[in-house]
Amino acid sequence: MPGTDDVADERPAEGTLDPLSEAALRTLISAAAVGFAVLDRDLRYLACNEQLARVNGLSVQDHLGRSLHEVVPHLAEGAAAMLRHVLTTGLPIREFELSGTVADSGDVVRHWLESAYPVFGDDGRPVAVAVMVWEVTARVEAEQARGRMLALLELLVLRAPIGIAFVDQDLRFLRINQTLAEANGLPIADHLGRTVAEVLPEVAPDVVPLLRKVLTTGAPLVDLDVETGPVPGQPGRRRHWRVSYYPIRDLDEGPAQGVGLIVVDQTDRHEGRLEREQLRAAERAARLRAEQAASRQALLQRLTAALAPAVTATDVAQVTISTIGPSLSADAVTLVRHDAEAGMMRVLAQQGLSPQTAQRFAAYRVEDSPVIALVAGSGEPVVITSRADRDQQFPHLAHLPLEHQAWVNLPLIAEGRLVGVVAFGWRQPREFDTDKLELLKALAAQCAVALDRARLYADQQRLYAEQRRLYAEQAHVARRLQDSLLPDALPEVAHLESTARYFSADAGIDVGGDFYDLFALDDRRWAAVIGDVAGRGVEAAGTTALARHTLRALGPYATAAASLQRLNTLLCTPTPAARLLTAAYAHLTPDTAGGWTLTLARAGHPAPLLLHPDGHHEFLQPRGVLLGATADPPLTEVTYPLRPGDTLVFYTDGVTEAQGDDGLFGEERLAEAATTAAGQPADAVAEAILAAVSAYNIYSVSDDRALLVLHVPGSSTGT
């Protein structure tokens, strides 16, 4: 029919879309949230939507007709291989990962997922490739960040200063860090895959029940103090730990799959605390003994003083009753004199006895009283602690009444002769320890030798004099030792004034820990140091001497910081007592302008004050910590110019920690005091500071004070 061919031409060919469907498809592709493109067999863009154009940082027109290498040169190599594979095999590739940079991303690497699908021609062979692109940069970067975080967490666990480990449900070690492995005395490898009981057989009985409890209950155990048997690395030594155990779950509400362990070895701290407690207990016991001894001595002294005017036996007896009885809380006191010629005992004085008993024993023969006879015969005290004790010691007296159940009967012996007996009684039973009996015997001896009291007093005065002499001698030795730790005099240095002041907090027999020094490094350079050793006494003196001599020996050959590092190594050498000190150490090199170059290192010491002649000032604070605490303390050096007119003030914390009404003296008041003498000689600055400290301080000096002041003579036009 006419026109048939024309009508046939208007129908969509088989395998093609009608115009409406094609328009819908183009709209869908253009509006899609993913990138879309079609490339021919030469990998030139036939189509591209806006989303992919934005991904590549170019316009749609910049894609069409151009090759993959021209549009995305940094991605072309990896993408081209994938696309050619699809064109060659006719098989799609889904979600291929691709990373690189595009036109507008600069050096920032971005990440995509791409899927490629073949487009077949009429002959069934691929003639083009359709590509869909999803940008996954945010997801990839999140995964990378998570990986880095996990790596950092792993590093933290491995290097943490506390012990960390993980065990499974069978209590086998899955993970353990070096800190805990070292505490156990075994390598990490000897833990992994083995149970707690296998690795630590003497520790397991104390910790396994706790770990099982966490697994069973799912509840953590936090900050428990646990004592266990020894670890393999230190057999025979009980261990003390602060532990926290936490359940490990796959899901928040699921059963515990294992236990996380956080462990702090507190054995050294516990042993130190135990040792301190033992020392404190020993100190308390010693103090109690000293107080008791002092009380006994005081009573003896009171008796001595009371007996001093006594010239007759009756006087001695009255003093005994009035002085000793109340001091001992005795209910009865009796003193009898031995009349050797008559073989009689005659009462000189008594108190607390009934009239009948007092009359009965006013005078009697020695043999009439078994107790007195035993005292006279043995020359030793006879002690009766109760009625039962009396009846056991003296059965033939059991029928007699007893007004006072406890008695101490003491012989009075002078020059080897029995001159009497003094007896103290208590109504209730009473025990007497060795110290009490020794006191009673001493009191009896005082009574017995009352007539010899002048000699006793002289002996006592000689004893006191000897004690004073020993104390004075020790104080002299301490002063000599303190003086030996400080320079006899500061050396004369050209173009540099220097002065020092030292005041000890204790004028007694202890040596302080503050020190200073100024010495030559060579024919041009000088070194200045000030330090403060922790503690007092012989140990502090030894540390001070070590510090001074070490710095003097190393000074010419090492920097200030290196010298302090070497000193720290020596201080960290194991000793019975810790050796800690702070120091500020400087090397001074003259310059051509009449000043000096100061290289300063500071190890936890108060910052030196640099005072300019116009009153401006600054505290020099290079970083550093005290020496002797850690094996490798961070120490830095800082260099400062010292110009003519400048003053450098080294000091110890005894200066800034002087106590006044407003608290500590402090650095601000120190600077204000020094500023009043800005530009003046070193002595004037030192005196201004000390005067201000003395005026401010209202309490007793509790710490040594040391000053070392260096002043560059002349004046400077700059600051």
Side-chain angles (χ1 to χ4, degrees):
M1 297 179 74
T4 301
D5 292 337
D6 293 336
V7 172
D9 290 339
E10 291 176 359
R11 294 174 187 166
E14 184 177 355
T16 65
L17 298 175
D18 59 74
L20 180 61
S21 297
E22 183 176 355
L25 178 60
R26 290 181 179 277
T27 300
L28 179 63
I29 291 173
S30 298
V34 299
F36 180 82
V38 178
L39 293 90
D40 63 14
R41 293 187 65 86
D42 295 328
L43 300 185
R44 293 183 178 276
Y45 284 91
L46 301 177
C48 171
N49 70 351
E50 288 290 346
Q51 180 65 22
L52 182 61
R54 284 194 296 272
V55 168
N56 292 338
L58 299 170
S59 68
V60 172
Q61 292 301 320
D62 288 338
H63 287 71
L64 301 180
R66 300 177 67 194
S67 70
L68 184 68
H69 285 79
E70 293 173 327
V71 175
V72 284
H74 297 293
L75 302 175
E77 193 66 31
M82 175 190 72
L83 300 178
R84 288 194 180 96
H85 179 80
V86 172
L87 290 168
T88 301
T89 64
L91 299 175
I93 296 178
R94 295 179 177 85
E95 295 188 356
F96 175 81
E97 293 187 7
L98 194 63
S99 300
T101 59
V102 293
D104 66 346
S105 69
D107 294 331
V108 178
V109 176
R110 296 164 65 179
H111 307 274
W112 301 272
L113 286 180
E114 297 192 4
S115 293
Y117 301 89
V119 177
F120 296 99
D122 292 339
D123 59 359
R125 298 174 57 193
V127 297
V129 58
V131 182
M132 298 181 69
V133 180
W134 297 264
E135 182 164 5
V136 292
T137 300
R139 190 194 72 188
V140 171
E141 289 179 347
E143 291 175 350
Q144 291 176 344
R146 179 175 177 271
R148 290 193 297 271
M149 182 188 70
L150 291 175
L152 288 174
L153 182 60
E154 177 75 4
L155 185 62
L156 173 64
V157 169
L158 291 176
R159 297 185 179 180
I162 61 175
I164 299 176
F166 302 97
V167 297
D168 62 15
Q169 289 179 320
D170 297 325
L171 303 188
R172 295 183 182 278
F173 283 99
L174 302 175
R175 202 74 170 161
I176 184 170
N177 69 352
Q178 189 65 35
T179 300
L180 185 53
E182 289 177 355
N184 293 338
L186 294 171
I188 291 177
D190 288 355
H191 292 74
L192 302 181
R194 301 174 65 197
T195 67
V196 174
E198 291 171 340
V199 177
L200 306 168
E202 295 189 69
V203 175
D206 299 297
V207 302
V208 166
L210 300 175
L211 296 172
R212 292 289 183 201
K213 182 177 181 180
V214 173
L215 286 171
T216 302
T217 65
L221 297 175
V222 181
D223 286 342
L224 298 181
D225 291 319
V226 178
E227 180 180 358
T228 71
V231 296
Q234 289 187 317
R237 184 188 184 195
R238 296 285 293 175
R239 309 293 292 192
H240 297 265
W241 318 85
R242 172 65 62 85
V243 303
S244 294
Y245 299 149
Y246 300 90
I248 300 174
R249 299 182 176 90
D250 288 337
L251 298 173
D252 289 344
E253 300 301 328
Q257 303 298 311
V259 181
L261 295 75
I262 299 177
V263 181
V264 179
D265 187 355
Q266 295 189 314
T267 303
D268 291 340
R269 181 183 300 176
H270 174 83
E271 291 175 348
R273 183 172 62 250
L274 182 60
E275 181 181 359
R276 290 191 295 273
E277 289 174 353
Q278 292 172 343
L279 289 174
R280 284 195 292 268
E283 180 186 3
R284 288 193 297 269
R287 185 167 59 248
L288 178 60
R289 290 193 299 270
E291 290 172 353
Q292 291 173 339
S295 178
R296 293 193 295 270
Q297 183 67 22
L299 179 55
L300 288 170
Q301 290 175 341
R302 288 201 305 274
L303 181 60
T304 299
L307 287 172
V311 294
T312 67
T314 301
D315 293 337
V316 172
Q318 292 299 331
V319 169
T320 300
I321 290 174
S322 62
T323 302
I324 302 177
S327 298
L328 300 177
S329 301
D331 299 313
V333 183
T334 179
L335 189 147
V336 296
R337 184 185 61 185
H338 180 220
D339 186 346
E341 293 183 359
M344 296 288 293
M345 289 291 183
R346 304 185 187 279
V347 173
L348 294 175
Q350 63 82 24
Q351 186 178 52
L353 299 178
S354 67
Q356 296 83 356
T357 302
Q359 184 177 3
R360 178 184 173 191
F361 290 100
Y364 55 91
R365 298 181 62 82
V366 174
E367 57 269 23
D368 290 341
S369 171
V371 176
I372 298 303
L374 181 58
V375 173
S378 65
E380 294 293 331
V382 172
V383 178
I384 298 172
T385 60
S386 64
R387 182 187 183 99
D389 184 33
R390 183 203 67 172
D391 294 346
Q392 182 178 5
Q393 291 190 63
F394 306 97
H396 51 288
L397 300 179
H399 64 285
L400 296 177
L402 194 62
E403 297 177 9
H404 299 81
Q405 294 202 51
W407 282 93
V408 177
N409 303 272
L410 300 124
L412 300 178
I413 299 174
E415 300 294 336
R417 297 180 298 106
L418 178 69
V419 297
V421 173
V422 62
F424 303 95
W426 291 265
R427 292 189 182 90
Q428 300 299 322
R430 194 180 188 91
E431 296 292 335
F432 302 92
D433 58 24
T434 301
D435 289 343
K436 181 69 72 175
L437 288 176
E438 288 300 319
L439 172 61
L440 291 171
K441 289 197 291 186
L443 294 171
Q446 288 274 32
C447 296
V449 296
L451 295 179
D452 200 23
R453 59 186 173 273
R455 181 189 62 81
L456 178 61
Y457 179 77
D459 289 345
Q460 194 174 54
Q461 292 304 304
R462 282 195 295 274
L463 175 61
Y464 290 162
E466 178 65 13
Q467 291 174 338
R468 289 194 296 271
R469 185 191 67 79
L470 289 175
Y471 184 86
E473 184 177 298
Q474 290 173 327
H476 176 70
V477 170
R479 287 194 298 272
R480 291 290 301 276
L481 179 57
Q482 184 74 74
D483 292 343
S484 71
L485 299 175
L486 300 173
D488 293 335
L490 295 179
E492 296 283 342
V493 182
H495 305 295
L496 185 68
E497 296 178 6
S498 64
T499 189
R501 302 289 190 275
Y502 182 88
F503 297 93
S504 176
D506 186 357
I509 62 174
D510 269 349
V511 181
D514 289 6
F515 68 93
Y516 60 85
D517 204 355
L518 178 65
F519 56 91
L521 297 176
D522 50 39
D523 58 356
R524 296 180 64 249
R525 299 181 303 136
W526 290 81
V529 64
I530 193 164
D532 189 352
V533 175
R536 300 182 64 82
V538 176
E539 291 81 4
T543 304
T544 299
L546 173 66
R548 283 194 63 212
H549 294 306
T550 299
L551 295 179
R552 276 181 169 260
L554 294 175
Y557 312 105
T559 66
S563 298
L564 292 180
Q565 286 280 10
R566 177 54 182 160
L567 174 58
N568 181 76
T569 300
L570 297 176
L571 293 174
C572 288
T573 303
T575 57
R579 299 184 295 185
L580 305 173
L581 67 84
T582 65
Y585 181 41
H587 285 184
L588 296 102
T589 304
D591 60 26
T592 58
W596 297 79
T597 298
L598 172 74
T599 303
L600 177 66
R602 189 169 64 100
H605 198 80
L609 173 67
L610 177 57
L611 177 64
H612 301 297
D614 63 356
H616 285 81
H617 63 271
E618 55 188 299
F619 285 95
L620 310 183
Q621 304 185 60
R623 186 170 61 93
V625 299
L626 82 165
L627 305 181
T630 60
D632 188 18
L635 296 171
T636 60
E637 289 183 342
V638 179
T639 299
Y640 303 91
L642 293 183
R643 300 184 177 92
D646 283 350
T647 302
L648 182 63
V649 180
F650 295 91
Y651 57 94
T652 60
D653 58 8
V655 174
T656 53
E657 293 180 1
Q659 290 280 352
D661 288 332
D662 294 331
L664 300 180
F665 184 71
E667 292 181 345
E668 183 176 346
R669 291 186 178 88
L670 171 69
E672 290 175 356
T675 301
T676 63
Q680 299 183 35
D683 278 320
V685 175
E687 290 303 319
I689 293 173
L690 292 179
V693 172
S694 298
Y696 183 79
N697 187 67
I698 62 173
Y699 299 99
S700 60
V701 179
S702 60
D703 196 3
D704 299 340
R705 296 172 182 167
L707 277 176
L708 176 60
V709 182
L710 306 179
H711 176 69
V712 183
S715 60
S716 174
T717 58
T719 58

